[in-house]
Amino acid sequence: MKKMTTKPNILLTRIDNRLIHGQVGVTWVNHLGANLVVVANDKVSQDEVQQSLMDMVLPDVIQARYFSIQKTIDIIHKASPKQKIFLVVKDVHDALALKQGGVPIDHINVGNMHYEEGKKQISSTVSVDDKDIEAFKKLADMGVTLDVRGVPNEKGQDIRALIKEFPI
C-alpha cells in the first residue's frame, strides 16, 4: 500500500538575488528536470513587469509562480507530486523565513549574493554581512546543506568553509 505524502517535490532551493535569469531559466531548470519554478519573494510577487521579464527567460514548457513568502509557506504543501519544483529566493533571509515557516528545505544552492556596501566577498559570486552569516548559521543549525555554486557542473563549496566566523 502506498503511503500518502504531502511533502512537495522541491528539487532544489537556490538563493540568487537576480531570481530568474539565463543561468536559472535554462541551465538549472534543465539540469534538475524541473517543470515549475516558484519564486518566493514579497516584492516580486507584487511586480507584474518583473514577472513578465522573468517569464521570457524560461522555456515554454516550464511554468513559473511568484508568491510572497507567507503565501509560499501557506500553499507549498498543496503542490501536486507531479510538480517538480525549483524554488528560487532573493536572499538568505527569505530562505530562512521559508524554512522556519515549515517549507521542507534540506539543501540550498547559494548562487548569487551581490556585493554591496558593508558586505564582504567570500566567493566570486557571494558577498555577506553579519546578518547574512547569522541567517546561514541558523539554517545550518536546522540541518540545511548550504552549497555555493554558480552552475550545476561546478564543484560546490560548503559555505561554512568560506565564512571564517562560521564554527564548523
Side-chain angles (χ1 to χ4, degrees), residues 2 4 16-18 27 31 36 44 53 71 80 85 91 101-103 106-107 114 120 132 138 141 146 148 153-155:
K2 209 172 173 187
M4 290 299 289
D16 194 322
N17 58 321
R18 301 167 298 175
T27 311
H31 172 76
L36 175 64
V44 171
L53 291 171
K71 184 165 184 179
S80 161
I85 302 168
D91 59 41
V103 177
D106 305 319
H107 183 101
H114 284 320
K120 60 181 169 221
D132 296 333
K138 286 179 182 170
D141 290 346
L146 300 161
V148 176
N153 61 359
E154 246 177 49
K155 185 182 179 333

Side-chain angles (χ1 to χ4, degrees), residues 127-140:
S127 296
V128 296
D129 61 19
D130 290 342
K131 286 181 182 172
D132 296 333
I133 293 169
E134 191 57 41
F136 279 122
K137 283 181 185 176
K138 286 179 182 170
L139 284 164

Side-chain angles (χ1 to χ4, degrees), residues 76-140:
I76 196 82
H77 291 282
K78 295 177 184 159
S80 161
K82 291 182 198 137
Q83 291 175 310
K84 296 175 186 161
I85 302 168
F86 181 24
L87 182 59
V88 181
V89 297
K90 198 170 189 81
D91 59 41
V92 64
H93 307 287
D94 284 354
L96 180 59
L98 291 173
K99 179 68 176 171
Q100 289 173 329
V103 177
I105 297 171
D106 305 319
H107 183 101
I108 294 177
N109 161 244
V110 184
N112 219 47
M113 293 174 64
H114 284 320
Y115 177 81
E116 53 190 59
E117 193 68 41
K119 293 195 176 211
K120 60 181 169 221
Q121 193 169 356
I122 59 167
S123 81
S124 61
T125 59
V126 178
S127 296
V128 296
D129 61 19
D130 290 342
K131 286 181 182 172
D132 296 333
I133 293 169
E134 191 57 41
F136 279 122
K137 283 181 185 176
K138 286 179 182 170
L139 284 164

Side-chain angles (χ1 to χ4, degrees), residues 11-12 23-24 26-34 149 151-153:
L11 304 173
L12 183 66
Q23 216 172 49
V24 167
V26 179
T27 311
W28 279 102
V29 167
N30 289 342
H31 172 76
L32 295 169
R149 175 189 327 214
V151 291
N153 61 359

Side-chain angles (χ1 to χ4, degrees), residues 48-60:
E48 290 182 19
V49 172
Q50 199 171 354
Q51 292 174 24
S52 295
L53 291 171
M54 287 190 268
D55 284 344
M56 289 194 290
V57 176
L58 293 172
D60 290 341

